[in-house]
Amino acid sequence: MDNKLKLRNKALKLISYKEYSVNNLSEKLYSYAKNLTDDINKDDVNELLEEFKEKRWVSDARAVESLVNQKSSRYGLSRMKVELKKLKVCENIVQSTLSELASTEFKRAELVLKKKYLSPPVDYNESCKQKNYLFRRGFVLDVCNSVVNKRVSN
Protein backbone atom coordinates (compact mmCIF):
# COMPACT_ATOMS: atom_id res chain seq x y z
CA MET A 1 0.00 0.00 0.00
CA ASP A 2 1.23 3.50 -0.84
CA ASN A 3 2.61 5.47 2.13
CA LYS A 4 0.38 8.48 1.42
CA LEU A 5 -2.63 6.19 1.47
CA LYS A 6 -1.46 4.75 4.80
CA LEU A 7 -1.14 8.29 6.14
CA ARG A 8 -4.63 9.14 4.92
CA ASN A 9 -6.08 6.00 6.50
CA LYS A 10 -4.35 6.80 9.79
CA ALA A 11 -5.81 10.32 9.71
CA LEU A 12 -9.30 9.00 9.01
CA LYS A 13 -8.95 6.48 11.83
CA LEU A 14 -7.84 9.21 14.26
CA ILE A 15 -10.65 11.63 13.43
CA SER A 16 -13.22 8.86 13.61
CA TYR A 17 -12.41 8.41 17.31
CA LYS A 18 -12.51 12.05 18.44
CA GLU A 19 -12.41 15.65 17.30
CA TYR A 20 -8.87 16.93 16.78
CA SER A 21 -7.67 20.46 16.30
CA VAL A 22 -5.72 20.99 13.11
CA ASN A 23 -2.43 21.44 14.98
CA ASN A 24 -2.86 18.34 17.15
CA LEU A 25 -3.79 16.18 14.17
CA SER A 26 -0.83 17.59 12.25
CA GLU A 27 1.56 16.62 15.04
CA LYS A 28 0.14 13.12 15.33
CA LEU A 29 0.27 12.54 11.60
CA TYR A 30 3.76 13.92 11.25
CA SER A 31 5.11 11.68 14.01
CA TYR A 32 3.32 8.71 12.40
CA ALA A 33 4.79 9.62 9.00
CA LYS A 34 8.31 9.88 10.45
CA ASN A 35 7.98 6.40 11.94
CA LEU A 36 6.45 5.04 8.76
CA THR A 37 9.04 6.22 6.24
CA ASP A 38 11.33 9.11 5.36
CA ASP A 39 9.77 9.90 1.98
CA ILE A 40 6.69 11.57 3.52
CA ASN A 41 7.39 15.16 4.51
CA LYS A 42 5.50 17.93 6.23
CA ASP A 43 4.11 19.15 2.91
CA ASP A 44 2.29 15.85 2.41
CA VAL A 45 0.78 16.10 5.88
CA ASN A 46 -0.25 19.73 5.28
CA GLU A 47 -1.78 18.81 1.93
CA LEU A 48 -3.84 16.09 3.59
CA LEU A 49 -4.94 18.48 6.35
CA GLU A 50 -6.01 21.10 3.80
CA GLU A 51 -8.16 18.49 2.09
CA PHE A 52 -9.72 17.53 5.42
CA LYS A 53 -10.40 21.18 6.26
CA GLU A 54 -12.05 21.74 2.87
CA LYS A 55 -14.29 18.75 3.45
CA ARG A 56 -14.90 19.98 7.02
CA TRP A 57 -13.72 16.72 8.50
CA VAL A 58 -11.43 18.54 10.92
CA SER A 59 -12.20 21.83 12.64
CA ASP A 60 -10.70 23.79 15.53
CA ALA A 61 -14.11 25.10 16.56
CA ARG A 62 -15.58 21.58 16.72
CA ALA A 63 -12.59 20.34 18.70
CA VAL A 64 -13.09 23.12 21.26
CA GLU A 65 -16.84 22.50 21.41
CA SER A 66 -16.26 18.78 21.91
CA LEU A 67 -13.80 19.38 24.74
CA VAL A 68 -16.15 21.82 26.44
CA ASN A 69 -19.05 19.37 26.18
CA GLN A 70 -16.94 16.60 27.69
CA LYS A 71 -15.29 18.44 30.55
CA SER A 72 -17.06 21.68 31.46
CA SER A 73 -19.54 19.96 33.76
CA ARG A 74 -16.66 18.62 35.91
CA TYR A 75 -14.04 21.35 35.81
CA GLY A 76 -13.69 25.07 36.46
CA LEU A 77 -12.30 27.88 34.35
CA SER A 78 -8.66 27.40 35.33
CA ARG A 79 -8.64 23.73 34.39
CA MET A 80 -10.61 24.36 31.20
CA LYS A 81 -8.11 27.02 30.18
CA VAL A 82 -5.27 24.52 30.52
CA GLU A 83 -7.20 21.86 28.59
CA LEU A 84 -8.03 24.32 25.81
CA LYS A 85 -4.38 25.40 25.56
CA LYS A 86 -3.45 21.76 24.94
CA LEU A 87 -5.56 21.84 21.77
CA LYS A 88 -3.29 24.54 20.32
CA VAL A 89 -6.10 26.46 18.68
CA CYS A 90 -6.48 30.17 17.94
CA GLU A 91 -6.41 32.34 21.07
CA ASN A 92 -9.64 34.08 20.02
CA ILE A 93 -11.56 30.79 20.11
CA VAL A 94 -10.12 30.00 23.56
CA GLN A 95 -11.00 33.42 24.97
CA SER A 96 -14.55 33.41 23.61
CA THR A 97 -15.13 29.90 24.98
CA LEU A 98 -13.77 30.86 28.40
CA SER A 99 -15.96 33.95 28.53
CA GLU A 100 -19.01 31.77 27.78
CA LEU A 101 -17.99 29.34 30.53
CA ALA A 102 -17.41 32.14 33.04
CA SER A 103 -21.12 32.91 33.13
CA THR A 104 -21.94 29.40 34.36
CA GLU A 105 -18.96 28.96 36.70
CA PHE A 106 -20.91 29.34 39.96
CA LYS A 107 -23.70 26.96 38.95
CA ARG A 108 -21.25 24.33 37.71
CA ALA A 109 -19.28 24.55 40.96
CA GLU A 110 -22.48 24.03 42.96
CA LEU A 111 -23.35 20.94 40.93
CA VAL A 112 -19.85 19.45 41.23
CA LEU A 113 -19.83 20.01 44.97
CA LYS A 114 -23.31 18.56 45.50
CA LYS A 115 -22.34 15.47 43.57
CA LYS A 116 -19.31 14.82 45.80
CA TYR A 117 -20.60 16.12 49.14
CA LEU A 118 -24.29 15.54 49.73
CA SER A 119 -24.47 17.56 52.94
CA PRO A 120 -23.12 21.05 53.69
CA PRO A 121 -20.00 21.35 55.84
CA VAL A 122 -20.58 21.09 59.59
CA ASP A 123 -17.27 22.51 60.79
CA TYR A 124 -14.25 24.45 59.60
CA ASN A 125 -12.26 21.38 58.52
CA GLU A 126 -15.12 20.07 56.41
CA SER A 127 -15.54 23.51 54.87
CA CYS A 128 -11.84 23.58 53.94
CA LYS A 129 -12.09 20.11 52.41
CA GLN A 130 -14.95 21.19 50.19
CA LYS A 131 -13.23 24.40 49.13
CA ASN A 132 -10.04 22.50 48.34
CA TYR A 133 -11.98 19.95 46.34
CA LEU A 134 -13.45 22.67 44.14
CA PHE A 135 -10.10 24.42 43.85
CA ARG A 136 -8.41 21.20 42.68
CA ARG A 137 -11.13 20.88 40.06
CA GLY A 138 -10.03 24.21 38.59
CA PHE A 139 -12.62 26.57 40.02
CA VAL A 140 -11.52 30.08 40.96
CA LEU A 141 -10.95 30.64 44.69
CA ASP A 142 -13.71 33.27 44.95
CA VAL A 143 -16.21 30.84 43.46
CA CYS A 144 -15.04 28.05 45.78
CA ASN A 145 -15.53 30.26 48.82
CA SER A 146 -18.90 31.57 47.64
CA VAL A 147 -20.33 28.14 46.89
CA VAL A 148 -19.24 26.58 50.19
CA ASN A 149 -20.30 29.62 52.22
CA LYS A 150 -23.70 29.57 50.52
CA ARG A 151 -24.12 25.92 51.50
CA VAL A 152 -23.17 26.76 55.10
CA SER A 153 -25.66 29.60 55.33
CA ASN A 154 -28.54 27.52 53.94
Side-chain angles (χ1 to χ4, degrees), residues 30-140:
Y30 188 66
S31 67
Y32 174 76
K34 278 187 1 187
N35 292 337
L36 186 63
T37 183
D38 289 335
D39 67 338
I40 294 179
N41 57 21
K42 216 162 181 71
D43 292 336
D44 296 330
V45 173
N46 290 336
E47 182 182 311
L48 182 64
L49 287 173
E50 285 301 319
E51 177 193 342
F52 280 19
K53 283 194 282 189
E54 285 174 11
K55 292 181 178 182
R56 297 179 189 231
W57 289 351
V58 64
S59 164
D60 285 347
R62 268 201 328 264
V64 168
E65 184 181 334
S66 175
L67 182 82
V68 168
N69 286 339
Q70 290 171 14
K71 297 189 176 191
S72 67
S73 63
R74 296 186 314 245
Y75 300 117
L77 274 182
S78 302
R79 176 75 179 265
M80 289 303 297
K81 185 175 184 178
V82 170
E83 295 292 329
L84 288 169
K85 294 279 185 187
K86 288 180 186 176
L87 285 180
K88 299 176 186 165
V89 296
C90 175
E91 190 65 32
N92 295 336
I93 296 174
V94 171
Q95 290 304 321
S96 65
T97 303
L98 289 175
S99 65
E100 290 173 15
L101 287 175
S103 62
T104 61
E105 178 89 342
F106 188 82
K107 188 68 177 169
R108 289 183 293 118
E110 282 182 322
L111 293 174
V112 167
L113 193 62
K114 284 180 185 175
K115 187 174 179 180
K116 175 75 173 176
Y117 296 101
L118 300 176
S119 60
V122 292
D123 61 355
Y124 178 75
N125 285 338
E126 184 68 23
S127 177
C128 287
K129 278 184 185 178
Q130 291 186 13
K131 288 177 186 177
N132 285 335
Y133 175 74
L134 286 176
F135 189 70
R136 286 191 313 270
R137 289 288 181 162
F139 291 97
V140 183

Side-chain angles (χ1 to χ4, degrees), residues 135-149:
F135 189 70
R136 286 191 313 270
R137 289 288 181 162
F139 291 97
V140 183
L141 192 57
D142 293 341
V143 172
C144 298
N145 289 330
S146 300
V147 169
V148 174
N149 292 340

